C-alpha cells in the first residue's frame, strides 16, 4: 500500500474548497492505496460531509497539544477528532520556519494526537544551505531525535507516518530525483534504527511531486507515498497521482 496525501496549505476559501472536495469525490477512485486530503481548518467539516463513505480520508494541517483552554487561535485534538479527521500534519517545514515550532513542541503534538488515536504525519527535511554543507543526515537525525525519541516505544507503522520533504524542493518545481529521494530515505531508515525507532515506518516524499513524476518516485523501494502540495489543488492532477500506476 502507498499513501497519497494532498496538503492544501492556506489555499481556497470555504466555498471554493467545497467545489474542490466535490470534484475530488467525483474524480478520485480509491484503490488499494490510502488517499488523504489536508484542507484548511475551516474546510474540515465540509470534508467530513462530502468525503464520508468515499474511502478518501481527511486530516488537519496543524494542532495544538493542549486539551483545551487559553490558547487563542488554536485548535485541539478533540476538536479535530469530532470532525472525523484521522490524520494531522506535524512539523511541516513552513511551521518550523515561519512559526518557530521547536522539536519538543512538535513531539508534544505527536503525543497528543496519538493519545487520541489520530495519526501524525511528521515532516522532516533539510534546507538547500544544509544540503550544500553536506549535513543532511545530521539535520534529519536532529529533527527526528528532538521530537520522537521520547515516544520511541509507542510509534508503529500503523499509528504514525513520516514525511521527508527537502525544503529546497517545496513549491519550487525542483523535485529531488527519485534516486536521491530514495537514497535519503534509506538513510532515514538507518537513522530510525540508530535512534531505537521502528525502521519500517511509512515514509512519504514531498516537494514538487506532480503527475509527471509520481510513478518514478513511487516505484522506489523506500518511498511509501507522496505528500503533495500544489498538484493536490486540482482534482484532475490529484486524481492522476492517485492513479499513478496507470501512467
Ligand atoms: P509542493 O508542496 O508539492 O507544492 O512542493 C509539498 C508540501 O509542502 O507538502
Amino acid at each position: 500500500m502507498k499513501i497519497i496525501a494532498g496538503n492544501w496549505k492556506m489555499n481556497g476559501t470555504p466555498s471554493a474548497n467545497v467545489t474542490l472536495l466535490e470534484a475530488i469525490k467525483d474524480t478520485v477512485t480509491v484503490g488499494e492505496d490510502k488517499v488523504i486530503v489536508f484542507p484548511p481548518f475551516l474546510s474540515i467539516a465540509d470534508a467530513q460531509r462530502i468525503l464520508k463513505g468515499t474511502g478518501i480520508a481527511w486530516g488537519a494541517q496543524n494542532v495544538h497539544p493542549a486539551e483545551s483552554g487559553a490558547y487563542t487561535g488554536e485548535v485541539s485534538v478533540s476538536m479535530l477528532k469530532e470532525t472525523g479527521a484521522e490524520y494531522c500534519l506535524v512539523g511541516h517545514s513552513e511551521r518550523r520556519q515561519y512559526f518557530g515550532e521547536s522539536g519538543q513542541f512538535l513531539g508534544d503534538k505527536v503525543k497528543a494526537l496519538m493519545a487520541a488515536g489520530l495519526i501524525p504525519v511528521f515532516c522532516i527535511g533539510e534546507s538547500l544551505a544544509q544540503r550544500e554543507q553536506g549535513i543532511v543526515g545530521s539535520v534529519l537525525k536532529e529533527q527526528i531525535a528532538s521530537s520522537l525519541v521520547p515516544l520511541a516505544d509507542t510509534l508503529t507503522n500503523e499509528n504514525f507516518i513520516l514525511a521527508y520533504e527537502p525544503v529546497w524542493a517545496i513549491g519550487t518545481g525542483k523535485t529531488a530525483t527519485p534516486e536521491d529521494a530514495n537514497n535519503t530515505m534509506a538513510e532515514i531508515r538507518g537513522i530510525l534504527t540508530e535512534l531505537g525507532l521502528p525502521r519500517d515506518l511509512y515514509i512519504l516524499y514531498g516537494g514538487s511531486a506532480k503527475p509527471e513524476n509520481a510513478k518514478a518516485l513511487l516505484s522506489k523501494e523506500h518511498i511509501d507515498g507522496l505528500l503533495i502540495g500544489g498538484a493536490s489543488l486540482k482534482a484532475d492532477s490529484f486524481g492522476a497521482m492517485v492513479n499513478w500506476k496507470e501512467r
Side-chain angles (χ1 to χ4, degrees):
M1 181 191 80
K2 302 282 186 182
I3 298 171
I4 311 296
N7 172 13
W8 295 10
K9 309 193 181 184
M10 194 175 72
N11 287 298
T13 58
S15 61
N17 288 341
V18 163
T19 306
L20 178 54
L21 286 163
E22 279 168 351
I24 286 175
K25 179 186 175 174
D26 292 343
T27 53
V28 173
T29 313
V30 180
E32 62 195 35
D33 294 337
K34 185 92 216 155
V35 181
I36 313 168
V37 292
F38 292 94
F41 284 133
L42 285 179
S43 298
I44 293 182
D46 288 320
Q48 179 181 37
R49 180 172 57 80
I50 294 166
L51 298 180
K52 205 169 181 179
T54 62
I56 302 169
W58 56 94
Q61 299 170 18
N62 188 27
V63 72
H64 193 280
E67 274 176 37
S68 64
Y71 300 96
T72 301
E74 294 295 318
V75 166
S76 72
V77 173
S78 53
M79 294 176 194
L80 294 183
K81 201 168 163 110
E82 206 173 295
T83 65
E86 292 176 74
Y87 300 85
C88 185
L89 301 181
V90 177
H92 190 282
S93 61
E94 289 149 17
R95 301 290 323 168
R96 294 177 188 265
Q97 193 182 341
Y98 305 141
F99 303 96
E101 297 189 352
S102 68
Q104 156 90 53
F105 187 51
L106 298 174
D108 290 347
K109 294 184 185 207
V110 169
K111 192 171 169 193
L113 287 163
M114 289 180 55
L118 272 79
I119 300 179
V121 178
F122 184 81
C123 308
I124 57 173
E126 81 285 1
S127 68
L128 184 59
Q130 290 164 334
R131 191 174 186 85
E132 284 170 352
Q133 284 166 52
I135 55 169
V136 176
S138 60
V139 168
L140 300 179
K141 186 171 179 181
E142 163 58 20
Q143 289 174 345
I144 295 172
S146 61
S147 300
L148 303 180
V149 163
L151 306 169
D153 293 343
T154 50
L155 303 186
T156 72
N157 71 354
E158 290 184 354
N159 64 15
F160 181 86
I161 297 169
L162 205 56
Y164 167 60
E165 300 201 299
V167 177
W168 49 271
I170 295 177
T172 57
K174 284 187 208 153
T175 323
T177 64
E179 291 69 29
D180 260 0
N182 191 56
N183 289 340
T184 309
M185 281 147 106
E187 200 177 336
I188 292 169
R189 294 201 194 277
I191 294 170
L192 292 171
T193 307
E194 263 176 64
L195 294 174
L197 295 158
R199 184 187 178 82
D200 66 345
L201 294 176
Y202 279 92
I203 310 181
L204 315 185
Y205 168 80
S208 298
K210 44 187 179 270
E212 296 73 28
N213 58 27
K215 188 170 185 175
L217 288 163
L218 289 167
S219 303
K220 290 290 175 196
E221 181 189 354
H222 295 292
I223 304 185
D224 299 317
L226 298 175
L227 183 55
I228 311 157
S232 73
L233 295 173
K234 294 239 159 54
D236 287 355
S237 63
F238 187 59
M241 294 172 86
V242 171
N243 292 332
W244 62 276
K245 275 192 198 134
E246 288 158 30
R247 295 182 64 83

